[in-house]
Amino acid sequence: MAEGYLDVDTDRAWACDHDHSLHPWTHFESFRAAGSQMVVSAGSGCRIEDSEGRSYLDAVGGLWCTNIGLGREDMAEAIAGQVRKLAYSSTFVDMTNGPAALLAAKIAELAPNGIERVMFSTGGSTAVDSAFRLAQFYQSCAGRPEKCHVIARENAYHGSTFASMSLGKRQGDRAPEFRYLTEIVHHVSAPNSYRRPPGVSEEDFVDWLVREFEDKISEIGADRVGAFFAEPVMGSGGVIVPPDGYMERIWRTCQMHDILFVADEVVTAFGRLGHWFACESEFGVTPDIVCSAKGLSSGYLPIGATLYSKQIHDVISHGDPERMYTSGFTYSGHPVCCMAALKNIEILEKEGILENASRVGSYFEKRLAELLELPIVGDVRGRKLMMCVESVMNKETKELFPREVNIGKRITGICEDLGLIVRPLGHLNIMSPPLILTETDVDFIVDALGEAIRRVSDDLAREGKF
């Protein structure tokens, strides 16, 4: 019976999905009218195939996650072997299993300086959610229960649980029908240099951002702020690379006020920028807590990990002899997911994939920069294999196209016709391809994306919208 599910025809898959599924970020009216635009049926390496047999280079990497590429037999064998041996066991209270224990030790070995402990969850959102709870738990155990407030940044994305969505504040994410934590979650500006005020230097912009952060701490009260959450490079918020000096100065401000620095590395960890972790290697910041997922298993199975310092553990694990950490998940330390992560790390190490990401990523940056010559490309930004192209109606004023133009989606529609998948987010086109990408793949991505942008520019000119 199960084998019959491997080769479902397009019409049946589309109908079942249309009639019974609720997708993440569903726009109800358009989904009701058109349903899913693609039924993906297979994948190998950097490419996916739809149910009609069309092949695409997936420059989105699934959702920032297919780091080692799809369809690996060695990964399939590792997963299958663990399923046969031990498909599930709880890790609650005082039970563990081999893969979970070994993975915790391996992550601690690779982690930034001082990080020694790992708490497993099911993905990026739950890793961030766990970090949120851990920060409050720690501050309370340290005798500072009033330090329960946290600061995050405008236009950030940290996940979709109640706490993580409250931390994030990306445009378009906050539906009025939902409620969010507002009393203890606060926000400051994103370090978006491209959108800094006209005539303001990058150095002055950093000064302003740091001063804003300090003012926010003063407004809330330094004795009430317990943690600051930040992606080293903001992902879904537009692939925002912070300007020089910003991260370190914010980090030092946190240290000055006993505020935990929480690095959301759900996207950047495990190679996206050519490092195991980006915060310390790329920006010189040693966080107190690190959130990871995506590249931890390269998307083969769902797993998240919240890493934290020895200092935090020493505080929370001593003191009250009756104290318990009452947080976790049924699938925390799932043996099959942990085995997938162990095998993934082994592949990344043995095949030099992080080195490839760094080398090919530099080439990707260089080639994508060529698109700045196109009339509607306002900015090309990012680092290594985490890049973004921002389209604007006026390059001088940086004015955006009206929402109804749907510029990002128009561009990706043509890209798909050319055999390329890129991600549209409003006026942005975002790319986070597998780390096994080659320079030949980069040439295809840049050439196809450039062609799509040119065609859209011509169409808009004919329509009188540009």
Side-chain angles (χ1 to χ4, degrees):
M1 180 68 176
E3 291 182 0
Y5 296 130
L6 294 177
D7 296 305
V8 60
D9 68 83
T10 304
D11 291 342
R12 184 184 177 203
W14 184 94
C16 289
D17 181 68
H18 181 269
D19 295 346
H20 302 290
S21 294
L22 177 62
H23 290 244
W25 273 254
T26 290
H27 180 258
F28 289 105
E29 186 169 348
S30 59
F31 189 83
R32 185 165 46 247
S36 287
Q37 299 298 294
M38 184 184 296
V39 178
V40 180
S41 64
S44 179
C46 295
R47 305 193 73 85
I48 59 173
E49 186 177 297
D50 68 19
S51 55
E52 298 297 314
R54 291 183 289 265
S55 177
Y56 307 85
L57 195 156
D58 180 16
V60 186
L63 207 58
W64 317 84
C65 63
T66 59
N67 291 11
I68 63 170
L70 298 171
R72 292 194 61 130
E73 288 294 331
D74 49 358
M75 179 64 87
E77 287 301 318
I79 291 170
Q82 183 59 49
V83 169
R84 295 186 188 102
K85 183 177 182 179
L86 178 64
Y88 173 79
S89 71
S90 167
T91 59
F92 270 44
V93 188
D94 57 1
M95 292 182 67
T96 191
N97 60 73
L102 293 177
L103 180 60
K106 184 62 180 179
I107 291 173
E109 174 192 321
L110 299 172
N113 184 45
I115 301 289
E116 295 185 4
R117 295 282 173 165
V118 180
M119 176 170 31
F120 290 119
S121 59
T122 56
S125 297
T126 48
V128 171
D129 199 290
S130 296
F132 181 87
R133 300 198 72 191
L134 175 62
Q136 294 187 324
F137 192 85
Y138 162 78
Q139 295 289 9
S140 184
C141 291
R144 302 184 288 262
E146 68 283 355
K147 283 177 79 73
C148 59
H149 291 247
V150 299
I151 300 175
R153 298 181 298 188
E154 299 282 348
N155 217 33
Y157 179 79
H158 290 291
S160 59
T161 64
F162 181 51
S164 60
M165 186 61 85
S166 298
L167 288 167
K169 205 174 180 185
R170 193 178 69 87
Q171 294 177 7
D173 281 346
R174 293 206 164 188
E177 295 82 2
F178 284 128
R179 297 294 178 265
Y180 305 91
L181 287 168
T182 55
E183 291 186 3
I184 61 172
V185 177
H186 311 267
H187 293 87
V188 291
S189 300
N192 187 346
S193 289
Y194 180 65
R195 292 287 171 183
R196 68 183 185 270
V200 174
S201 70
E202 192 169 273
E203 184 178 349
D204 287 343
F205 183 52
V206 172
D207 288 341
W208 182 86
L209 290 166
V210 173
R211 189 162 55 250
E212 180 197 32
F213 183 57
E214 292 169 340
D215 289 346
K216 180 60 70 174
I217 294 171
S218 297
E219 173 192 323
I220 302 164
D223 59 340
R224 300 204 303 156
V225 180
F228 172 67
F229 282 73
E231 304 157 88
V233 175
M234 296 177 72
S236 296
V239 190
I240 306 300
V241 179
D244 289 346
Y246 166 83
M247 289 287 279
E248 185 174 358
R249 290 178 63 183
I250 294 290
W251 172 58
R252 293 195 183 284
T253 302
C254 287
Q255 289 185 309
M256 190 184 311
H257 297 290
D258 292 319
I259 297 170
L260 296 177
F261 190 102
V262 184
D264 179 353
E265 294 222 34
V266 169
V267 172
T268 53
F270 299 99
R272 178 76 26 212
L273 304 186
H275 310 286
W276 291 109
F277 295 92
C279 209
E280 188 174 60
S281 298
E282 199 78 13
F283 300 104
V285 169
T286 304
D288 300 290
I289 301 175
V290 181
C291 306
S292 65
K294 296 187 185 294
L296 176 55
S297 70
S298 286
Y300 275 83
L301 285 175
I303 184 171
T306 303
L307 294 55
Y308 65 97
S309 69
K310 180 181 184 299
Q311 176 190 343
I312 291 175
H313 193 76
D314 286 346
V315 169
I316 67 176
S317 62
H318 293 85
D320 185 353
E322 299 300 317
R323 182 180 296 151
M324 291 184 66
Y325 191 77
T326 55
S327 183
F329 307 91
T330 298
Y331 299 121
S332 295
H334 191 291
V336 185
C337 298
C338 289
M339 178 56 73
L342 281 167
K343 187 64 179 179
N344 177 66
I345 293 171
E346 176 187 299
I347 291 168
L348 289 168
E349 287 183 317
K350 286 188 173 180
E351 298 184 10
I353 291 177
L354 270 62
E355 292 79 7
N356 184 74
S358 182
R359 180 179 57 81
V360 177
S362 295
Y363 182 67
F364 195 27
E365 290 183 41
K366 179 182 177 182
R367 284 278 351 249
L368 270 179
E370 298 171 12
L371 301 185
L372 284 167
E373 299 176 359
L374 300 179
I376 67 169
V377 174
D379 194 26
V380 173
R381 59 178 176 265
R383 197 162 288 184
K384 302 296 168 51
L385 295 182
M386 186 178 181
M387 299 296 295
C388 173
V389 174
E390 178 168 348
S391 296
V392 294
M393 188 164 62
N394 187 309
K395 296 182 77 159
E396 293 299 320
T397 65
K398 304 178 184 178
E399 180 185 0
L400 298 176
F401 285 96
R403 185 182 180 88
E404 60 270 19
V405 171
N406 207 3
I407 186 69
K409 184 65 175 174
R410 287 182 73 152
I411 291 168
T412 60
I414 296 175
C415 284
E416 288 175 20
D417 292 340
L418 298 172
L420 174 66
I421 303 291
V422 296
R423 186 182 183 193
L425 282 175
H427 56 289
L428 310 175
N429 289 109
I430 288 175
M431 290 149 284
S432 52
L435 310 188
I436 59 171
L437 202 73
T438 67
E439 291 188 358
T440 300
D441 294 329
V442 167
D443 291 336
F444 173 76
I445 293 170
V446 176
D447 292 345
L449 178 58
E451 175 63 19
I453 293 171
R454 290 184 190 92
R455 290 191 196 179
V456 169
S457 299
D458 291 345
D459 289 344
L460 290 172
R462 280 193 292 271
E463 296 166 14
K465 295 177 181 175
F466 173 64

